[in-house]
Amino acid sequence: MSEPIRIPAPDGVFPASQYTHVVTGTGRVVAVSGQLALDEHGELVGEGDAGAQARQVFENLRRCLAAAGATFDDVVKLTYFVTDMAHMPAIRKARAEHMPDDRLPAASAVQVAALVRPEFLVEVEALAVVPDNRAPSASGVA
């Protein structure tokens, strides 16, 4: 895939400040399931702390993307599921550690009544498009 094409404000659509309205590219599609704030041992990271949970979620996303031969530069869409929209600033801060403001993907944020367990505050899923010739890592093969 060549560099993803980002269209931050299509004609007639109000510009967004925290996401890009349209991102397109060609290549192999990588879908990453919603990631939660679990470490490599299955332990919750950051109980009651949306910022700590978001940092772990983005670390998990990074690892999942890498297993598929992708990086955050390849991400074209993020979907955020939060138990409280007040968590979004902490999530954006964690995202900024991995994605600069000039390379933001398309995004949706959805407030939910609950996630799979009550201690989870944040879940994020990703969609990426990577070049066909970039193979998954050996650890990413099932």
Side-chain angles (χ1 to χ4, degrees):
M1 175 181 90
S2 59
E3 185 73 18
I5 299 167
R6 290 172 173 78
I7 306 168
D11 289 342
V13 177
F14 187 76
S17 62
Q18 297 298 324
Y19 60 93
T20 299
H21 280 290
V22 180
V23 182
T24 186
T26 58
R28 184 171 45 87
V29 174
V30 174
V32 179
S33 294
Q35 295 299 301
L36 297 163
L38 294 173
D39 66 15
E40 61 271 15
H41 305 291
E43 299 295 324
L44 173 67
V45 173
E47 185 164 1
D49 182 340
Q53 287 196 21
R55 286 188 299 277
Q56 182 65 46
V57 164
F58 274 91
E59 177 58 20
N60 291 349
L61 286 169
R62 184 194 65 74
R63 290 175 180 175
C64 290
L65 289 165
T71 71
F72 280 106
D73 285 343
D74 301 310
V75 172
V76 297
K77 176 78 170 29
L78 291 173
T79 304
Y80 307 97
F81 301 96
V82 296
T83 57
D84 187 332
M85 282 296 177
H87 301 322
M88 288 306 298
I91 295 167
R92 285 192 290 270
K93 184 176 180 184
R95 181 198 63 206
E97 295 173 11
H98 299 277
M99 307 174 106
D101 284 348
D102 65 342
R103 301 185 54 77
L104 295 177
S108 298
V110 181
Q111 182 170 325
V112 295
L115 293 169
V116 68
R117 291 191 342 220
E119 62 268 27
F120 294 123
L121 306 174
V122 175
E123 181 174 342
V124 182
E125 64 183 27
L127 186 64
V129 180
V130 298
D132 290 325
N133 62 355
R134 194 183 319 151
S137 72
S139 63
V141 178

